[in-house]
Every structure is written in C-alpha cells, then in structure tokens.
Amino acid sequence: MSALAIASIVEGHGEVEAIRILLTRICAELIRPAVYPTILKPVRVHKSKVASQEGELLRAVDLAILKLSAIESRGLVLLLLDSDDDKACTLAPALTAQVRNARSHVDFACVLAVVEYETWFVAGATSLNLFLSSDSLLHVPADPEAARAGKGWIERFFLEPKYSETVDQPRLTAAFDLPKARENSLSFDKLCRELEKRIHGEEAPND
C-alpha cells in the first residue's frame, strides 16, 4: 500500500502546532497503520474568509496541493475548522462541494470540530488531570457538543492562571483520551473515520 501524505488547513495558531501531534496520535493509538502518513506543516487561514469566499478556500487548497507536490505519496488535503455557531452538517458539505467541483483531482476532507477544537478535550477530559482541577470530572457533560462545552469549559477548570491556545493546545492534544473523545464526540469520530478510510486505502468518502 502506498504511503499517505497529509496537508492540513487550520485556522488557529494553536492548531498549527497541535495538528501534527493530533494526527500522529490518532494513527499510533487508534488506526495503527502498516505505513505511517507524512504530516506536512499546515496552511493557516481565517475561517470567516474561507467559509464565505470560495476564492479564499481554493487559495488555501492550492497551497496545500503545492506542499503535497513535493512528496511522492498519495495526498490528502484536510480542512479542519471550528464549527462555532455554524451547523457542521451544513457547512462541511458545502465547503467540500466547492473544492470537489473546482479541484476534482484532489482528495479532500473537511472536518468541523463541534463546537470548538477544545470540545474534543472536554470529550476526553478524563485524562487531563495534570491540567484541570480535580472537580472538573464532576462537570464533564455526557455530550460535550450538545452542551457547547469548549474553550470556556477548559478555561473554567484550567489549573494554570490562563489558558493559551498557542501554548496549551499542543500540550492538551498530547494528553487527552482519544478513545473517550471518539466515543463522546461525533465530530472527532468523523476525523478518525476520514483518516481510517485514506490510510486503509478505501475509496474517498463523498459525505
């Protein structure tokens, strides 16, 4: 099976550093491929522009394609954004359709973290005792996405004086419970499924 290279598109400074850790952990702990993917430095974008301007989205995709062109592997362009107040079930298919209509030769996947990247930390918070107060486990919602528990929830229980996306997203990404997060977050499960399909060589999904 040929190796996979992943060029990500993210919106925050924290995700720029965290995405390599996240994808590496998912592969090592959940997928366990025979050949590990090459994870390239991501392209950073402003969500508001990408979500509202097709030209901005395609510009970011083209930059990701350029990165992949230097790697002799199958390539995946992965767009990872926070859903925020948007409905992931509406926005993700719309962005996917834009890219596939204009860049049909590219394997593209769009995953929106519902509600925020930090919501995945809440979904896997049982392993974050080094970062969160001891009473945080009493307040972990059964469905963090429905409860809209994200950055604000992390800040509420964070042990250090201030939560910094740039500093702390990579640290928490290296520590949160992946299986529990996948169980408690549909959007995190979506990311895992997108990676599994590519890594195991299945046909790229159309959802």
Side-chain angles (χ1 to χ4, degrees):
M1 183 183 301
S2 61
L4 177 70
I6 304 174
S8 302
I9 302 170
V10 299
E11 59 178 304
H13 288 290
E15 285 101 333
V16 168
E17 298 300 324
I19 189 69
R20 183 187 298 270
I21 300 170
L22 179 64
L23 299 182
T24 299
R25 286 195 63 205
I26 290 173
C27 289
E29 298 175 36
L30 300 180
I31 302 176
R32 300 182 180 92
V35 180
Y36 279 74
T38 299
I39 302 168
L40 306 179
K41 184 175 181 179
V43 176
R44 183 171 174 265
V45 298
H46 293 283
K47 181 199 171 184
S48 60
K49 293 182 179 180
V50 168
S52 62
Q53 302 174 31
E54 182 173 346
E56 284 295 314
L57 174 58
L58 294 180
R59 181 189 68 82
V61 169
D62 287 341
L63 287 174
I65 294 171
L66 184 61
K67 289 177 177 287
L68 290 171
S69 67
I71 306 294
E72 294 184 0
S73 302
R74 291 181 297 119
L76 169 65
V77 176
L78 172 65
L79 175 63
L80 175 60
L81 303 172
D82 292 347
S83 70
D84 298 315
D85 294 325
D86 294 306
K87 291 184 177 180
C89 61
T90 300
L91 182 57
L95 296 176
T96 299
Q98 288 180 24
V99 174
R100 290 184 177 167
N101 288 337
R103 303 288 186 270
S104 59
H105 64 290
V106 176
D107 186 8
F108 175 81
C110 175
V111 176
L112 299 188
V114 180
V115 175
E116 298 170 318
Y117 188 95
E118 285 84 0
T119 303
W120 293 347
F121 296 154
V122 181
T126 54
S127 59
L128 296 178
N129 56 300
L130 293 179
F131 303 94
L132 304 178
S133 61
S134 57
D135 62 339
S136 64
L137 294 183
L138 300 175
H139 300 277
V140 178
D143 187 343
E145 295 180 352
R148 298 189 62 80
K151 181 180 176 181
W153 191 95
I154 294 294
E155 290 175 332
R156 175 184 174 189
F157 296 105
F158 203 57
L159 286 174
E160 297 180 14
K162 184 178 181 180
Y163 171 75
S164 165
E165 293 180 7
T166 304
V167 174
D168 296 313
Q169 271 191 354
R171 297 167 65 203
L172 270 65
T173 296
F176 80 109
D177 188 325
L178 299 188
K180 183 64 68 174
R182 188 171 190 181
E183 177 183 337
N184 293 334
S185 167
L186 291 176
S187 62
F188 185 69
D189 177 63
K190 164 76 170 175
L191 173 62
C192 295
R193 287 187 287 112
E194 294 285 4
L195 294 174
E196 283 173 337
K197 290 175 181 179
R198 274 53 177 222
I199 288 172
H200 292 317
E202 298 178 15
E203 184 178 351
N206 292 318
D207 58 334

